[in-house]
Amino acid sequence: MKRLSLTLAMLFVLAIGTWADHWTPVHGEEGQSTSTIVYAELNLGSANTINEENYENYEIAAFIDDEVRAVAKAINVGQTSVKYCFVLNIPGNYDSAGEEDNGKSITFKMFNSSTEIEYDLGGGDNITFKEEAKYGEPSNPIKLSCVEVTGLQLESPITIKKGEKIDLNDKLSVLPNGATKPNNLTWSVGNYGDYLQVTDKGILSVLAATRDVLEVSVSSGSLNAYAQVNIVNHATDMVVNNGTITVNKGDSVALTSALKSALTITPEDYTDVLVWKSGEESIVKEINGQWTPLAGGETTMTATISYSEDNKTTNLSADIKVIVYAPVTDITPSNYKLECNVGDDLTNYITNFFTVNPEDATNKSVTYSIPAGSLEGIVTITDDNTITATKSGETSILVTSVDNSDATTTVSVKVHNWATKATVPEEELKYQYYGNAIDILSDINNQITFLPEGFEAIYAATLQSSNEGRSEERRVG
C-alpha cells in the first residue's frame, strides 16, 4: 500500500511538473483539496502512436464548464501494456454545501505542440466530477481517441446573400477522411473586411455587397484552407432618371458615364449583371467594354437585369434614347465654277459646289457671305440665306458652317447676261417661206428681237421647210 501511494504521488508530481504553456489550469478554491483523478491513454489511430520520440509533444487538458481544471503531458508509467499515460488531478470548486461541481461532466482536449493543433476529445456524461473519485489506473487507463488531421478543405465558391449568415464549419472538411476536426480554428476574411465579417466561431456575414470575388480562410497550426466568396444582393427596382442622352461622336467615356447616371437601381449595391443593348450598332456599339458612339444619329439603348431565385424569374428593364452628335470638321469645295444667269435663285443650286464633312454630320447648315476682296453687287444674300444673281460679272461666295465657324470654303460664281426671250414681228409670221431652210433662217434672224438687249448667250432656231419636208438647225450669236 505504501508502495502504491508512493507511485501515485510520483505520478502527480510528474503530471504537475509537465504543464505546458498552451493551457493554464484554474485550481480549486484555496483550502479545498478534494479532486478527481483521471488516468488516460491517448489512441492516435493506426497512422500514428505516442512513442519515446514524440510523447513530449502531446498534452491533455480537463475541463469543467469550459474552464481548464487540469493539464498533463504524457509520462512513461513503465507498464507492459501501457507505456505512456496522462495523469490529471482535477480539483473541484465548492459552494457552502460542498456540492458546486459534484456530478458535472468532465471533458478533454488534446494539443500537439509540434503541429500547434488542438482537438476536442469528448468525455461527457461517462466521466463526471466526484469527491475523491478516480477513473482508470496506470495499467488500465481510460481510452481517449484522436485521429490527427493532415489537411483542411473549404467548399468553394461560397455564395452568401446580404443579410444572411453562414456557419463555415459546415463548409469545412478534414483530411484524412474521418480525422478529428481541429478545435483551434482561426477564421479570416483577409483584406476584405469592408465587405465580409467572420467570427472566431466561423460565422460568416456580409457588411456590404460587391461584385468582386472575395476570399475567406481558415487555419489551424500550419494547415490552411481558402474559399472564394460571392455576395448576392439582387436588384428590386429600376427607375429612369434621364430618358435622353446626347453625346459627341467618338466620346465613349462620356456615353458610358451618362448611361450609368441615367438609371437608379435599388438597392444601390446590387450585384446582378446590368446588360445594355444597342438598337442600332452602326450608331452605338460596345467596343472593349465601353459603349462607343460611332456615327451621328439616334438609337435606343435597353438596360436589362434578369435573375432567378426560388423558382421565380425577375426581369427589370428600361429604354434610354441616345442622340449622337457628329460635329462638322470641314467643308470641301468642288473644282467647278458656278455659272448662272442674271436673276437666278442660287440658294439650292450652290449646295452642289461644296461638301460638308463628315457625311454623318448632325448639323450641316451653313451661312453665305461675300468674302473680303470679292466684288459686291454681283449677287445679293439676304438674312434668310437666299442668294440671287443680280448682274453679270464674277465674284466669290464664302460658305461657313453653323456648327463649326472654322469650317469654311469659297465658291467662285460667274453671272451671265444670257438672252431669255426672242420675239418675231407679227407681220413676219404671216410669210410663207419656200426654198433652202438655211437661207430662210438667215432671213428670219434679221427680223427677231432678243431680250434683254446686249445678251451674250447663243440661241438656236429650227425651221421646217414646208415644201421639202426637212429641217435645218443653225446657231447664231
Side-chain angles (χ1 to χ4, degrees):
M1 178 66 105
K2 291 182 179 179
R3 192 172 186 179
L4 177 58
S5 299
L6 180 61
T7 301
L8 291 175
M10 291 176 64
L11 290 175
F12 291 155
V13 171
L14 285 170
I16 294 172
T18 56
W19 285 344
D21 293 334
H22 187 66
W23 286 294
T24 300
V26 176
H27 300 288
E29 294 179 1
E30 186 176 352
Q32 300 292 342
S33 59
T34 302
S35 61
T36 292
I37 299 171
V38 176
Y39 297 91
E41 179 185 16
L42 183 60
N43 181 1
L44 298 176
S46 59
N48 196 5
T49 185
I50 294 179
N51 54 52
E52 60 184 12
E53 294 181 356
N54 66 13
Y55 76 94
E56 292 185 343
N57 296 334
Y58 294 93
E59 60 182 282
I60 289 180
F63 289 77
I64 298 178
D65 294 336
D66 294 325
E67 186 177 77
V68 182
R69 295 296 179 85
V71 181
K73 280 194 172 185
I75 57 175
N76 190 334
V77 296
Q79 300 294 317
T80 302
S81 58
V82 179
K83 191 169 185 180
Y84 296 95
C85 181
F86 297 84
V87 182
L88 297 117
N89 184 18
I90 307 169
N93 292 327
Y94 295 94
D95 56 19
S96 58
E99 297 181 351
E100 183 177 330
D101 285 338
N102 279 336
K104 289 184 177 179
S105 297
I106 300 174
T107 58
F108 302 92
K109 294 181 181 181
M110 182 270 281
F111 179 71
N112 183 340
S113 60
S114 67
T115 62
E116 297 186 338
I117 298 178
E118 178 185 305
Y119 301 87
D120 276 321
L121 302 180
D125 295 335
N126 294 329
I127 303 175
T128 60
F129 185 85
K130 300 175 183 178
E131 297 179 40
E132 306 299 338
K134 183 174 67 173
Y135 293 90
E137 298 285 348
S139 60
N140 186 27
I142 66 170
K143 307 296 182 182
L144 298 175
S145 299
C146 178
V147 178
E148 295 187 88
V149 298
T150 58
L152 303 174
Q153 288 183 332
L154 269 177
E155 178 184 313
S156 183
I158 296 170
T159 299
I160 182 171
K161 296 179 183 178
K162 188 177 180 182
E164 181 184 17
K165 292 184 177 181
I166 291 179
D167 188 346
L168 293 175
N169 291 282
D170 297 335
K171 309 291 184 180
L172 177 65
S173 59
V174 295
L175 299 174
N177 188 28
T180 305
K181 185 176 289 188
N183 187 56
N184 60 331
L185 295 171
T186 300
W187 299 93
S188 175
V189 293
N191 296 324
Y192 304 112
D194 291 341
Y195 305 103
L196 296 175
Q197 176 178 275
V198 63
T199 68
D200 56 359
K201 298 297 184 182
I203 306 302
L204 182 68
S205 57
V206 176
L207 298 177
T210 177
R211 294 187 187 91
D212 295 339
V213 178
L214 310 180
E215 189 176 80
V216 66
S217 67
V218 62
S219 63
S220 183
S222 60
L223 302 179
N224 300 279
Y226 303 87
Q228 290 184 350
V229 178
N230 298 319
I231 297 175
V232 172
N233 195 31
H234 288 308
T236 57
D237 193 22
M238 181 185 294
V239 176
V240 176
N241 303 321
N242 182 12
T244 302
I245 295 172
T246 300
V247 292
N248 286 335
K249 175 182 175 181
D251 196 345
S252 57
V253 174
L255 177 56
T256 301
S257 175
L259 288 174
K260 286 182 179 179
S261 60
L263 301 174
T264 294
I265 299 174
T266 306
E268 185 178 355
D269 59 348
Y270 72 95
T271 58
D272 306 289
V273 177
L274 176 63
V275 178
W276 286 97
K277 184 177 181 181
S278 173
E280 184 52 71
E281 290 196 340
S282 63
I283 296 175
V284 174
K285 185 177 181 180
E286 186 177 18
I287 299 176
N288 297 327
Q290 285 192 317
W291 286 102
T292 302
L294 298 175
E298 296 181 6
T299 186
T300 298
M301 299 285 291
T302 301
T304 304
I305 289 178
S306 180
Y307 58 87
S308 296
E309 185 177 49
D310 300 329
N311 298 320
K312 178 184 176 182
T313 299
T314 299
N315 293 301
L316 305 175
S317 65
D319 290 337
I320 304 295
K321 181 180 180 181
V322 177
I323 301 172
V324 179
Y325 194 91
V328 172
T329 56
D330 63 282
I331 302 176
T332 55
S334 69
N335 294 323
Y336 301 97
K337 180 183 292 186
L338 189 160
E339 296 195 39
C340 61
N341 200 20
V342 172
D344 286 347
D345 185 343
L346 308 181
T347 307
N348 295 323
Y349 186 48
I350 194 174
T351 59
N352 297 306
F353 292 83
F354 62 87
T355 302
V356 179
N357 301 311
E359 183 179 355
D360 62 344
T362 302
N363 183 2
K364 292 189 175 184
S365 299
V366 295
T367 60
Y368 304 110
S369 60
I370 303 299
S374 296
L375 288 177
E376 300 279 354
I378 304 299
V379 298
T380 58
I381 302 173
T382 63
D383 292 339
D384 63 356
N385 242 18
T386 300
I387 308 172
T388 305
T390 306
K391 66 179 182 179
S392 61
E394 295 191 29
T395 189
S396 295
I397 296 176
L398 177 66
V399 183
T400 303
S401 167
V402 171
D403 184 57
N404 178 7
S405 60
D406 292 331
T408 63
T409 192
T410 56
V411 176
S412 297
V413 178
K414 184 176 182 179
V415 180
H416 297 271
N417 193 23
W418 285 323
T420 58
K421 185 177 182 181
T423 62
V424 179
E426 184 176 350
E427 59 273 13
E428 297 295 334
L429 295 176
K430 301 176 182 179
Y431 285 38
Q432 294 287 334
Y433 288 92
Y434 298 96
N436 188 285
I438 294 178
D439 294 334
I440 295 171
L441 177 62
S442 178
D443 184 42
I444 291 178
N445 184 55
N446 296 323
Q447 307 300 322
I448 299 176
T449 301
F450 293 93
L451 297 176
E453 295 181 1
F455 73 95
E456 61 182 84
I458 62 173
Y459 73 94
T462 302
L463 296 177
Q464 178 71 42
S465 173
S466 60
N467 62 340
E468 296 183 16
R470 61 187 181 88
S471 66
E472 297 284 346
E473 183 179 279
R474 184 177 183 185
R475 294 181 179 272
V476 296

